[in-house]
Amino acid sequence: MTIKSLQQVLSETRVSVAAGRTDEAGGAARSKNPIPIIYPATAEQVTLLPEDSVEQVDSAVALAREAFETGPWPRLSVAHRQKILRDAAMKIREHQGELAVLETLCAGLPFSHLSGRQIPRAAENFDFFADHIGTMAGETFEQEAGFLTLVTREAAGVAALVSPWNAPLALASMQIASCIAFGNTCVVKPSEHAPLAVGRMVELLEQAGVPPGVVNLANGRGNVTGNALVSHPGIDRIAFTGGTATAKAIMNSASANLTPVHLELSGKSANIVFEDADLERAIDGSLINIYSNNGQLCIAGSRILLQRGIAEPFIDQFVERTRKIRVGDPMDPATEVGPLAFEAHMQKVLGYCEIARAEGAEILAGGGRLDELGPGYFVEPTAVLVDNNTLRICQEEVFGPFATIQVFDEAEEAIAIANDSDFGLVGYAWTENLARGLKMQESIRAGTVWLNTPLLRDLRAPFGGFKNSGVGRDGPRQCAGFYTEEKATIMPRKAELLKKMGMD
Ligand code: NAD
């Protein structure tokens, strides 16, 4: 298969790839240490991303603060804010193709998956939170005769929103929509590996009517720009989606200012298939759960656990289908898996293929780089057979198209293996037995359990991880809790009541 060059993609799509700030403070030429943005399918340089310094982060936080303290956004009527959020969703839909190209150029995700699913989801996030703020209500209490207590919510302030590269727009849009819907302002720090679509979305939000200063962009590496942002004393909330190790550093920085954090983190989830499962469905679902999004999925079902009776037919069919996955040009609509997002990440995933061999795992499919696809970062969809959940490849998040397969006998054994992990993001179980499905639902220690279902997210339900997979939850009520401060107001119904209490 030939892979379209960067020039071909740019000339066919006529998308502009200017990166970062265009104001007098920015420009790659003026940035001390610009970051090359590389097209993962060809390893060509797309553009240079100017890195925002500590001072530039400070200015972005100051703009967000001013917009919060004196700007119109927190003071708009709910109906007005809803309209702007819906207009933002519309703008994203109007620019779906352009955003999908930018995302493909940075992250290597298949264009068709982006334009068909992830970009529409980014738009939906704004519509969803527009709808939600229209349903919010306060509380009243009347414990003391003659006195009324009101409980209201108000916006928390300025948020730092830090996001990863594996689904940049889908994840950053969730952070931004859930933050600004309640009247907050923010500084957004996308991943230095995939900043272009998020940067373009921030421009589109302003075009949709989000006032200047409400959503500010800070670009750069985690240890420079990201660190300056999360340790800034002017930040009232930190929402972070990314790796568990980074989250620990962020929580440390946040502790100096007692800044509340919401953390959506890594996973190493079990995908359990029982003998009574609908095998065809379970195989389809298990393939989706590990290889979609180029295998770079926090919710990947990366540890496939098979009950002995179906292990052989499952493995035969799973491996055959894994070998047939169409890996290649992410701009080609027929492509199912594109390149990994950047070279160091590809090396990390290939490193785990070596660790698998060293740990004695049997390589059933893949296990190497697809050199014939040129200099891009293509790795074969890989499946390995293991007999022991303590191996590194079973305990550490590979975050690539890499599945371990392990056989078990009894349900209790599968539950023990599933829960023998530092992570607890999600779990999958495939069974036609309702009681067994419900047993899995209550036994798997994870924030989401999918029964006979691959990767279906319901925005109304909370999403987040147990254990090292997260702190807090996404979701309408949960985000209202995180992004607002509750306030109690107590007042007498009549002035005479104060006289009675001797307080007039
Ligand atoms: P990462 O932790 O390396 O980086 C995430 C973001 O944090 C980037 O923008 C990075 O620049 C920034 N960052 C890094 N160090 C920082 C610091 N010291 N201070 C402030 N910011 C810093 O993660 P990644 O490699 O971009 O993403 C992959 C990880 O994200 C995987 O572990 C995956 O499971 C996880 N993830 C979780 C979810 C979820 O919803 N639970 C969703 C997607 C990805």
Side-chain angles (χ1 to χ4, degrees):
M1 173 191 270
T2 53
I3 311 286
K4 270 187 194 159
S5 71
L6 174 64
Q7 252 343 299
Q8 276 173 297
V9 176
L10 292 178
S11 68
E12 282 172 20
T13 60
R14 282 187 253 123
V15 162
S16 156
V17 291
R21 289 160 182 245
T22 48
D23 62 17
E24 74 293 341
R30 299 181 61 174
S31 168
K32 267 199 212 129
N33 203 4
I35 302 165
I37 302 299
I38 305 293
Y39 182 32
T42 60
E44 294 164 280
Q45 181 172 311
V46 178
T47 186
L48 273 178
L49 180 75
E51 180 163 68
D52 286 325
S53 62
V54 174
E55 294 72 32
Q56 284 165 317
V57 168
D58 205 36
S59 314
V61 174
L63 285 174
R65 175 60 55 194
E66 193 184 333
F68 182 72
E69 302 289 351
T70 61
W73 186 249
R75 289 153 200 92
L76 289 183
S77 68
V78 167
H80 196 164
R81 230 183 295 137
Q82 284 179 303
K83 175 170 184 332
I84 294 175
L85 293 169
R86 291 193 177 114
D87 288 349
M90 193 69 81
K91 269 270 176 237
I92 292 171
R93 286 190 193 101
E94 284 166 12
H95 290 262
Q96 192 163 297
E98 177 194 0
L99 292 166
V101 171
L102 291 173
E103 199 91 306
T104 299
L105 290 179
C106 292
L109 299 173
F111 174 84
S112 58
H113 298 190
L114 290 165
S115 54
R117 279 205 306 267
Q118 288 193 20
I119 313 287
R121 169 52 68 86
E124 198 187 330
N125 287 336
F126 286 91
D127 276 337
F128 179 81
F129 278 95
D131 290 346
H132 178 66
I133 56 173
T135 66
M136 286 183 64
E139 287 177 310
T140 60
F141 300 102
E142 295 185 76
Q143 184 174 333
E144 204 64 51
F147 286 85
L148 180 64
T149 300
L150 303 177
V151 181
T152 52
R153 286 183 180 276
E154 49 196 70
V158 176
L161 308 179
V162 182
S163 52
W165 48 262
N166 68 309
L169 209 62
L171 297 167
S173 62
M174 169 57 86
Q175 291 180 331
I176 297 171
S178 60
C179 167
I180 66 172
F182 301 104
N184 300 289
T185 64
C186 59
V187 180
V188 176
K189 213 287 293 161
S191 168
E192 60 273 36
H193 298 292
L196 296 185
V198 176
R200 180 70 181 123
M201 177 173 69
V202 169
E203 290 173 356
L204 293 174
L205 296 182
E206 247 184 72
Q207 289 173 19
V210 175
V214 174
V215 182
N216 306 274
L217 192 62
N219 270 314
R221 296 172 181 82
N223 58 353
V224 180
T225 315
N227 183 49
L229 182 58
V230 298
S231 41
H232 198 290
I235 292 294
D236 301 300
R237 293 288 185 277
I238 298 170
F240 169 77
T241 305
T244 296
T246 312
K248 290 181 182 176
I250 289 180
M251 219 166 171
N252 247 334
S253 307
S255 71
N257 301 310
L258 286 182
T259 315
V261 293
H262 171 199
L263 308 172
E264 296 284 352
L265 310 178
S266 317
K268 188 75 183 176
S269 302
N271 181 81
I272 308 171
V273 185
F274 288 97
E275 284 166 358
D276 56 18
D278 174 333
L279 199 61
E280 199 180 327
R281 249 174 96 194
I283 292 170
D284 284 346
S286 305
L287 287 160
I288 292 171
N289 290 347
I290 182 61
Y291 298 128
S292 46
N293 217 49
N294 299 350
Q296 300 160 152
L297 208 61
C298 57
I299 52 179
S302 51
R303 290 184 294 144
I304 299 176
L305 308 181
L306 304 177
Q307 200 164 22
R308 196 167 302 277
I310 47 88
E312 205 178 307
F314 183 104
I315 289 173
D316 287 349
Q317 292 174 56
F318 184 88
V319 167
E320 190 189 333
R321 295 204 27 206
T322 296
R323 291 194 181 125
K324 284 190 187 148
I325 289 174
R326 289 187 296 271
V327 182
D329 187 344
M331 292 304 293
D332 181 341
T335 292
E336 293 170 312
V337 169
L340 298 191
F342 49 98
E343 189 177 4
H345 186 58
M346 174 186 70
Q347 297 302 351
K348 175 185 152 184
V349 174
L350 291 173
Y352 275 105
C353 295
E354 288 317 307
I355 293 170
R357 290 184 178 95
E359 288 187 316
E362 181 187 343
I363 309 286
L364 300 170
R369 184 174 183 177
L370 281 160
D371 293 321
E372 64 270 29
L373 293 179
Y377 311 134
F378 294 95
V379 171
E380 294 173 299
T382 299
V384 309
L385 189 63
V386 299
D387 58 5
N388 178 355
N389 188 55
T390 63
L391 302 180
R392 281 184 64 192
I393 53 171
C394 299
Q395 291 293 326
E396 297 173 15
E397 186 190 46
V398 177
F399 212 56
F402 182 102
T404 61
I405 299 182
Q406 187 174 353
V407 177
F408 68 90
D409 289 297
E410 301 300 330
E412 290 304 328
E413 193 186 342
I415 293 167
I417 297 171
N419 290 337
D420 174 23
S421 171
D422 291 339
F423 302 108
L425 191 54
V426 305
Y428 302 87
W430 302 86
T431 172
E432 293 297 296
N433 178 322
L434 178 62
R436 173 171 282 164
L438 291 175
K439 171 83 180 152
M440 292 300 116
Q441 185 275 335
E442 71 175 1
S443 306
I444 295 176
R445 301 274 303 151
T448 301
V449 175
W450 276 292
L451 298 177
N452 299 329
T453 305
L455 305 183
L456 186 83
R457 177 113 179 245
D458 186 331
L459 290 183
R460 290 162 303 181
F463 177 83
F466 285 21
K467 302 193 263 183
N468 279 359
S469 287
V471 173
R473 294 286 183 274
D474 271 333
R477 270 190 299 117
Q478 296 73 12
C479 290
F482 183 69
Y483 285 115
T484 62
E485 293 280 11
E486 277 187 309
K487 181 179 277 180
T489 306
I490 300 151
M491 54 196 175
R493 287 186 176 278
K494 294 181 189 142
E496 301 88 79
L497 290 169
L498 294 184
K499 284 192 184 141
K500 258 201 227 161
M501 293 170 76
M503 289 198 276
D504 54 331

